[in-house]
Amino acid sequence: MTTTNLTTTPERRLREGYAECARLTWQHGTTYFWGAALLPKAQRRHVFAVYALCRLADDIVDAPSATSDVERVPATRAALSDFRERFVTAVADPASAEPVLAAVGTSVRNSGIEMECFDRFFDAMSMDLDTERYETWDDLCSYMEGSAAVIGEMMLPVLQPTSDAAREPARALGFAFQLTNFLRDVDEDLDRGRVYLPQEDLRRFGADPSRREVDDAWRSMMAFQVARNRELYRTAWTGLQYLPGPSRRCVGTAHRLYSQILDLIERNDYDVFDGRLRLPTWRKAATALGGAVRVPTPAPWVVAEPAGSEVP
């Protein structure tokens, strides 16, 4: 995180903080960056600020050996707790905080994001310090409730929906983004000692991610998860109708881009072990520019059941 000379003015620290939040989003979350680029500046910087907070917290628990090395877990837990306390202090008094947290605190206050959302988020981050496996889909969803669905809730005050009916689709989009990450990042998560796939599903299909082998069992299990993921995206898509124009274009762009990662996984024969699958920057830019012109009337698409998704 950026450090600063606290003798600089609060206004300057705030500008520095928002610039760093934008940089972090561009570096680590280009899909969010291109979506947020379609928002007016005031809203755009709030999106960058929330992303930066979540990114920095995630970096603490995902640092090399942060949790896979048992001896390092107490230090990781202390670092997460310290970051959480500094965030809470920054919301109470942004002017006294370092640049990034000053920006985050200002955005939380100005947007009216409920602090309870951040309680759920940090509690989920803490789960990564002592939970490596999730037995059922419901168990995994309990984790994603705080690590992902709640981020959709955080975004609602920024996006200013026209109806409370936007809440559940926003949460579904958080679930959808998170599950897409889990499916794409199986290899990286294994290196951290974690598996974000329901153990009951792995057993039902006879799939074992630890082998890092793309066999028929692995393909069938992944096809099943991709179909589940697309259903979440379908639910999220229905929420676009409750968003004003710029917010609709922002979310619609992020939705389109992230859901295309599932296409990459399928085209790669469900091999997520040989390098991280990414959309090219030109496609992200083209989708964002297209979204600035027109977003279709929200309507759920039909999700075809993929071949090989039957439970054996």
Side-chain angles (χ1 to χ4, degrees):
M1 180 180 295
T2 340
T3 58
T4 187
N5 179 354
L6 291 180
T7 62
T8 60
T9 65
E11 292 78 10
R12 179 177 176 180
R13 290 204 302 277
L14 196 59
R15 288 196 301 271
E16 291 174 353
Y18 277 120
E20 178 64 8
C21 289
R23 188 196 69 78
L24 286 168
T25 309
W26 172 254
Q27 180 179 354
H28 299 287
T30 52
T31 296
Y32 299 100
F33 185 93
W34 283 110
L38 301 173
L39 291 170
K41 182 178 180 180
Q43 291 171 280
R44 180 167 67 243
R45 68 180 189 171
H46 295 330
V47 172
F48 293 157
V50 172
Y51 178 87
L53 176 77
C54 297
R55 176 78 263 167
L56 292 171
D58 203 49
D59 284 348
I60 292 172
V61 298
D62 283 351
S65 303
T67 54
S68 58
D69 182 346
V70 175
E71 294 183 356
R72 289 196 58 183
V73 171
T76 304
R77 193 180 302 279
L80 182 64
S81 177
D82 175 69
F83 182 62
R84 183 175 188 169
E85 289 175 9
R86 286 188 287 125
F87 159 70
V88 171
T89 299
V91 175
D93 183 14
S96 67
E98 57 207 87
V100 167
L101 288 180
V104 172
T106 299
S107 286
V108 171
R109 290 167 65 98
N110 290 353
S111 299
I113 304 172
E114 295 288 341
M115 288 298 289
E116 181 271 339
C117 291
F118 297 100
D119 289 338
R120 280 185 278 155
F121 170 73
F122 278 105
D123 288 347
M125 292 299 96
S126 296
M127 288 179 65
D128 275 331
L129 304 181
D130 50 34
T131 306
E132 299 176 348
R133 303 287 189 275
Y134 296 88
E135 175 60 26
T136 68
W137 170 244
D138 286 344
D139 292 338
L140 184 61
C141 285
S142 294
Y143 168 74
M144 293 195 294
E145 161 66 32
S147 68
V150 76
I151 297 176
E153 294 181 48
M154 292 178 193
M155 288 290 104
L156 287 176
V158 176
L159 299 172
Q160 301 173 356
T162 59
S163 168
D164 291 341
R167 182 177 183 272
E168 287 309 313
R171 286 170 48 78
L173 190 59
F175 280 123
F177 285 169
Q178 180 87 93
L179 183 56
T180 300
N181 280 337
F182 289 162
L183 297 180
R184 176 178 61 178
D185 297 339
V186 172
D187 193 59
E188 294 177 26
D189 291 330
L190 281 170
D191 290 339
R192 299 184 182 108
R194 302 176 193 151
V195 176
Y196 294 105
L197 296 168
Q199 294 297 303
E200 64 177 6
D201 291 345
L202 294 174
R203 288 195 300 271
R204 288 162 67 193
F205 287 99
D208 182 358
S210 66
R211 293 200 301 261
R212 305 188 198 229
E213 178 182 335
V214 182
D215 53 16
D216 288 344
W218 179 256
R219 293 185 187 94
S220 296
M221 189 281 303
M222 285 289 285
F224 179 79
Q225 303 301 336
V226 166
R228 168 181 274 163
N229 207 160
R230 286 204 169 106
E231 180 63 20
L232 289 167
Y233 279 116
R234 185 199 66 78
T235 300
W237 185 255
T238 66
L240 293 184
Q241 61 193 304
Y242 305 117
L243 298 177
S247 296
R248 181 183 294 188
R249 291 190 288 272
C250 165
V251 176
T253 295
H255 183 293
R256 287 172 169 176
L257 288 172
Y258 238 84
S259 62
Q260 288 176 41
I261 294 172
L262 299 179
D263 300 333
L264 293 181
I265 291 173
E266 289 176 323
R267 287 201 294 271
N268 207 47
D269 196 30
Y270 303 105
D271 184 356
V272 290
F273 303 111
D274 187 23
R276 198 169 195 253
L277 298 173
R278 301 175 185 272
L279 291 174
T281 300
W282 67 263
R283 181 179 295 179
K284 296 177 182 179
T287 301
L289 291 173
V293 176
R294 173 178 172 270
V295 171
T297 301
W301 57 69
V302 176
V303 181
E305 188 72 13
S309 66
E310 296 82 3
V311 177

